[in-house]
Amino acid sequence: MLKVYGRSDSSNSAKVYWLLDEIGQDCERVDCGGKFGGNDQPGYLAMNPNGKVPTVVDGDLVVWESNAILRYIATRYHAVELWPEGAAERAAIDKWMDWSATTLTPPLGRLRKAMKAGEELATTPVFAAFGLLDKHLADNNYIAGNKFSIADIAVGANIHRWTLLSIEKPELKNVIDYHRRLLERPAFVSRIAQSLT
Ligand SMILES: N[C@@H](CCC(=O)N[C@@H](CS)C(=O)NCC(=O)O)C(=O)O
């Protein structure tokens, strides 16, 4: 059974628990990071030198970086519905996963951190990324087209956090409709909507 190091209130760890629920696979959860600590300990750093969560251990294999973990788990359990085998279908998913990790999540994280600290921060990169997503979702029910995939799992926590963002923000109808579609999935509700602030 996979061992997952990561607290359930971390968005990157929650993605892993969400995928496992979607495909009906159990794991051994090791609460780690945040108030649980442990991720600064030598044993943990030997597995994941970044000192971040999540980290997944599968026998002798260690995987870190949440999107790499999603791809590993989907491949390992042959979840072809969520991670098809064709190169073109994979590329359509993968590009959005990388976009999420580089363009969507980091500015949103910085904005949330600044807001918590009561500091001012330009909203431009966050609004630009969500605006782009809104345009994309006008013609696509899901991130990689018309089927739910691991790209939705990579992006979903950000969507939840967009809805919680308590600032004046553009009304992004397609993003909100997409959020409603995600809320129809029990695993999104329990792992993201009910677990992340
Ligand atoms: N790019 C990494 C980011 C990992 C990351 O920043 N994780 C955060 C939680 S979401 C973390 O470990 N924070 C420190 C902590 O929880 O103690 C990934 O996607 O896995």
Side-chain angles (χ1 to χ4, degrees):
M1 190 187 288
L2 292 189
K3 202 167 180 175
V4 183
Y5 292 80
R7 55 192 169 91
S8 49
D9 61 350
S10 120
S11 58
N12 288 303
S13 306
K15 285 153 61 174
V16 177
Y17 298 125
W18 177 10
L19 173 58
L20 287 168
D21 282 2
E22 288 282 349
I23 63 176
Q25 292 293 335
D26 277 342
C27 68
E28 181 188 341
R29 185 175 93 216
V30 182
D31 284 321
C32 185
K35 69 172 187 228
F36 299 101
N39 47 331
D40 57 352
Q41 295 302 301
Y44 189 86
L45 293 172
M47 292 190 299
N48 182 347
N50 301 291
K52 301 282 187 191
V53 291
T55 298
V56 161
V57 177
D58 188 11
D60 290 337
L61 180 75
V62 176
V63 191
W64 40 261
E65 274 303 320
S66 56
N67 285 352
I69 293 171
L70 296 182
R71 286 185 289 266
Y72 173 70
I73 292 176
T75 306
R76 155 93 156 81
Y77 292 108
H78 311 289
V80 290
E81 285 296 310
L82 305 185
W83 180 229
E85 284 168 356
E89 288 164 297
R90 283 198 172 180
I93 293 169
D94 224 1
K95 68 181 180 190
W96 284 104
M97 294 176 82
D98 277 16
W99 176 81
S100 179
T102 57
T103 309
L104 182 67
T105 308
L108 180 61
R110 283 192 289 273
L111 181 61
R112 282 167 39 85
K113 200 169 165 191
M115 285 172 65
K116 267 188 206 144
E119 292 165 3
E120 290 273 310
L121 193 74
T123 53
T124 322
V126 174
F127 288 3
F130 279 93
L132 184 154
L133 209 45
D134 194 66
K135 279 205 181 85
H136 175 68
L137 290 166
D139 303 319
N140 297 278
N141 279 343
Y142 293 98
I143 297 295
N146 283 316
K147 272 176 66 184
F148 182 83
S149 74
I150 57 171
D152 298 285
I153 297 181
V155 167
N158 298 287
I159 302 294
H160 167 67
R161 285 184 162 164
W162 170 261
T163 66
L164 297 183
L165 209 56
S166 55
I167 49 171
E168 207 173 303
K169 58 189 187 215
E171 266 183 47
L172 301 178
K173 181 187 174 299
N174 302 312
V175 168
I176 299 307
D177 288 349
Y178 172 59
H179 183 237
R180 283 201 197 98
R181 279 193 288 285
L182 293 180
L183 283 169
E184 287 164 9
R185 309 187 78 87
F188 174 82
V189 173
S190 64
R191 297 303 189 169
I192 303 294
Q194 293 174 347
S195 298
L196 301 183
T197 55

